[in-house]
Amino acid sequence: MPQRVILDVDTGTDDAVALMVAALSPDLELVGATTVNGNTLVHFCTENTLRVFDYIGKQIPVFEGMSMPLSRPDFVRDVASAIHGDLLDLPPATSKKQPQHAVDWLIDTYMASDGDIILVPVGPLTNIAAAIRKEPRIVEKIPEIVIMGGAHEHGNCTPSAEFNIWADPEAARIVVNCGRPIRMIPLDATHRALIDHADCARFRELGSPAAIATAVVVERRISGYDATQPMHRLGAAPVHDALAVCAILDPSVVTTHFIHVDVEVRGELTDGRTVCDFKGRGKGKPNVHFATDADEPKFVRMLSDILGRTA
């Protein structure tokens, strides 16, 4: 049986690839997608998510969620917009979002489930924390949370913090301390699995809508990264969120360490940092399988195999 998953997204270019991987993999059943403010305003995230599903011919329900962080009304997203823009370079959506709010749908879906739906938040964790606050019993119904977010070696929007965690650190702290099994796919791993122009050319050659769409959005990412956050080789960019989905399909695509992780919410210079205790210097017990490396060739092969499929 395919593994059931829910993606919580702030689509976004790398979210778009993650959605397509989850929707097209024969080993996953994408139950639905929830959107949250992050890479762009939440209504743009919703429109982009609908555009992705329409373009690849998948009818998957989309629920719009939180438009602001839990407790930070001064949130800004300038770092993200430099990479993603507001709307994806795909045709406007004809499908519509579902009327139910994402937080309520998450609660209803998990409370009615058999505890078999992996939750995959790849944006700020506002929806997830809000759902836990509103109905704490959902925690026991979530078998695993696979988060794209965090960083140990360096941040990408501050020297210390990765964007998804920095965008709502209070929410992230609630989620990482919720007591459920957690895998975190941070920048430490995603920056070791880059997609370059040659990979995009091969995606185009596959000819499927998903592969073509991936080439389009990743080429935008490469331009943005070369201009604002150059990687260890120019002409290549990470596709963070897709790596998180691939790690569900094949855990060996990343290397993880089971450590204690918490989130800084009051640091003058380190707000939103994921504090990783690799050496056991703190008092916290291990709570997160934290990825520190990734297998780039395997990641690219997985994308090619899945994205070459049609609906």
Side-chain angles (χ1 to χ4, degrees):
M1 294 290 291
Q3 171 63 59
R4 302 176 78 202
V5 297
I6 291 171
L7 261 64
D8 186 75
V9 294
D10 58 337
T11 317
T13 50
D14 53 333
D15 309 72
V17 183
L19 288 165
M20 290 186 285
V21 171
L24 291 171
S25 170
D27 298 315
L28 297 177
E29 177 191 344
L30 181 54
V31 176
T34 52
T35 64
V36 67
N37 188 72
N39 286 326
T40 184
L41 301 176
V42 69
H43 64 276
F44 288 132
C45 297
T46 302
E47 166 67 17
N48 286 337
T49 304
L50 292 166
R51 286 186 181 195
V52 168
F53 291 146
D54 282 356
Y55 192 75
I56 65 172
K58 283 287 189 179
Q59 294 183 330
I60 293 168
V62 177
F63 301 84
E64 188 167 288
M66 302 292 283
S67 61
M68 293 293 292
L70 290 184
S71 58
R72 301 201 178 207
D74 57 346
F75 169 74
V76 294
R77 57 179 185 83
D78 294 343
V79 173
S81 62
I83 300 294
H84 300 272
D86 286 328
L87 291 169
L88 295 176
D89 297 321
L90 296 174
T94 56
S95 300
K96 303 297 182 183
K97 68 180 181 182
Q98 300 298 306
Q100 189 176 20
H101 193 277
V103 171
D104 294 326
W105 179 77
L106 286 167
I107 292 169
D108 290 348
T109 301
Y110 273 105
M111 293 306 296
S113 77
D114 293 327
D116 60 342
I117 307 172
I118 293 177
L119 182 55
V120 192
V122 295
L125 290 154
T126 315
N127 285 338
I128 315 308
I132 292 171
R133 275 184 169 181
K134 188 172 184 179
E135 178 47 270
R137 292 180 300 165
I138 70 165
V139 170
E140 63 194 45
K141 289 281 198 165
I142 303 173
E144 184 183 23
I145 305 174
V146 179
I147 298 169
M148 190 281 120
H152 176 64
E153 289 185 348
H154 55 79
N156 64 351
C157 65
T158 77
S160 292
E162 180 274 331
F163 176 81
N164 287 342
I165 306 301
W166 171 85
D168 196 341
E170 286 80 10
R173 190 169 216 188
I174 289 170
V175 176
V176 300
N177 289 295
C178 75
R180 299 308 296 158
I182 292 175
R183 263 186 292 172
M184 185 172 279
I185 313 301
L187 302 183
D188 306 72
T190 63
H191 282 192
R192 290 170 171 79
L194 305 183
I195 306 297
D196 60 24
H197 285 296
D199 296 321
C200 290
R202 286 189 286 271
F203 292 151
R204 287 184 185 278
E205 290 173 0
L206 292 173
S208 67
I212 292 169
T214 296
V216 169
V217 300
V218 174
E219 284 165 352
R220 178 192 277 195
R221 290 183 66 76
I222 292 171
S223 296
Y225 270 88
D226 280 356
T228 65
Q229 299 179 49
M231 294 287 101
H232 54 268
R233 66 177 194 269
L234 287 175
V239 187
H240 312 288
D241 300 347
L243 184 63
V245 177
C246 286
I248 298 170
L249 293 165
D250 184 350
S252 71
V253 76
V254 295
T255 301
T256 63
H257 301 268
F258 191 38
I259 61 171
H260 183 258
V261 175
D262 209 334
V263 177
E264 178 58 69
V265 297
R266 293 188 297 271
E268 180 181 355
L269 301 177
T270 58
D271 225 8
R273 179 173 177 80
T274 42
V275 180
C276 302
D277 189 3
F278 283 99
K279 301 296 185 181
R281 297 293 186 256
K283 297 180 180 179
K285 295 181 179 179
N287 61 339
V288 170
H289 294 272
F290 189 90
T292 57
D293 200 359
D295 185 332
E296 181 177 287
K298 179 177 286 188
F299 177 51
V300 175
R301 287 196 303 271
M302 292 178 73
L303 292 183
S304 296
D305 291 345
I306 296 166
L307 298 170
R309 302 174 61 89
T310 58

